[in-house]
Each structure stands twice: as C-alpha cells, then as structure tokens.
Amino acid sequence: MEAENKGIYSPIDGKVEPLSAVNDEVFSKGLVGDGFAVEQTNRAVYSPVDGKITMIAKTKHAIGITTKNGTEILIHMGLDTVDLNGLPFDVKVKEGQEVKKGQLLVDMNIEMIKKNGKDPTVIVVLTQPDKILNNKTYNVTNRNTPIGKIGNATN
C-alpha cells in the first residue's frame, strides 16, 4: 500500500487536465482506465510512482509500470505517436527495472512529434477496471505535486 498512499504524480512538467479533454476517444471516454493528461512544457518524462517497468512498447511511445501492490499504470506519450516508430523517444529504462518516483524514463522529442503533425500530450492511466484515481488535482504545472490517490472503484 506504500506506493498508493504516496499518490500518483505527473510524469512531466506541464498543465494537468482531465482525460475528457484528450482528443482521442479511447482515452477521453475512459476506455483504457481512469487517469489524467498533461500538456507538457519540457521533454523529460519521469516515473509518477515507485514501481517496476513491466512494459515498453516496441515503438517506445508507451511504458507500463506496476506498483509494489500490483496497481498497473500506463504512461502513453503523445497521440498517434505509434506511427513514428519510436524515433522521438529515447528510453532510459528497461523492462523489469525497479524505478523510483521522479526517476527519468524517457527523453521525448516534442518538436519532432509536432513536426510530424502529432499531439505530444502525455496520458497517465490506471489500466485495471477496479482502480480509480481519487482527489484529482487539475491545472497543476509542477511534476512534484501529487495529482491524486489510487483507490478501488468498489469503495
């Protein structure tokens, strides 16, 4: 429960927004899970929690982290950036690696993403249907501010 008690943080500096503001129905309707989006102001993507890297997409646009008590978190970098075949993403971690909140995960080339006509919004979702993010705080711009606390949807 330690990771959940600390809450979840933004992985990147920028304006935190509700998923409903995302220009992609899969995320905006919560089909992947509960979470938030960030209009970033820099290119460094950090771990929002303590956990283990459990997935890195072949195209490097998405990373999965599992907390010590099993909460699965997806960090999805940009919309339709899968089409860019990993070029804008310099991943600094490996699958199976333990990470701490605030540890650098990816250097994301926002300029390259925009030049290719893609949206660089970073999305963070809890991928398990029984998990929700409580007490969400939007309009935060500093990644060292908690965005919410992970809870069970059945509470």
Side-chain angles (χ1 to χ4, degrees):
M1 293 268 272
E2 179 184 333
E4 275 68 0
N5 290 339
K6 289 182 181 176
I8 189 167
Y9 291 73
S10 176
I12 195 163
D13 287 326
K15 184 180 173 196
V16 175
E17 299 181 320
L19 283 181
S20 59
V22 174
N23 193 21
D24 182 321
E25 284 193 1
V26 172
F27 293 109
S28 66
K29 293 191 176 199
L31 301 178
V32 179
D34 193 21
F36 58 92
V38 186
E39 279 185 38
Q40 75 282 28
T41 55
N42 68 28
R43 43 190 289 160
V45 180
Y46 300 92
S47 182
V49 293
D50 293 347
K52 183 183 216 173
I53 303 295
T54 48
M55 184 278 298
I56 299 173
K58 286 182 180 148
T59 54
K60 304 177 187 176
H61 74 288
I63 292 183
I65 300 173
T66 301
T67 64
K68 286 190 180 4
N69 76 344
T71 299
E72 298 169 3
I73 297 166
L74 177 70
I75 301 172
H76 192 280
M77 295 167 279
L79 302 177
D80 298 323
T81 49
V82 66
D83 300 342
L84 303 178
N85 295 312
L87 291 174
F89 308 105
D90 182 8
V91 178
K92 307 293 188 181
V93 292
K94 294 180 171 44
E95 278 188 38
Q97 182 177 337
E98 295 284 336
V99 294
K100 295 283 186 195
K101 180 197 85 63
Q103 183 172 337
L104 182 64
L105 302 178
V106 179
D107 179 22
M108 179 175 158
N109 189 330
I110 298 165
E111 297 76 28
M112 183 187 294
I113 293 168
K114 288 180 177 177
K115 272 186 196 165
N116 281 279
K118 307 297 183 189
D119 181 339
T121 297
V122 174
I123 298 158
V124 178
V125 290
L126 308 177
T127 58
Q128 295 152 299
D130 63 331
K131 299 289 182 183
I132 59 170
L133 197 56
N134 294 313
N135 306 319
K136 292 181 199 131
T137 305
Y138 299 118
N139 297 317
V140 171
T141 56
N142 183 317
R143 68 178 176 84
N144 293 312
T145 303
I147 306 305
K149 294 198 179 287
I150 300 166
N152 292 318
T154 54
N155 287 353

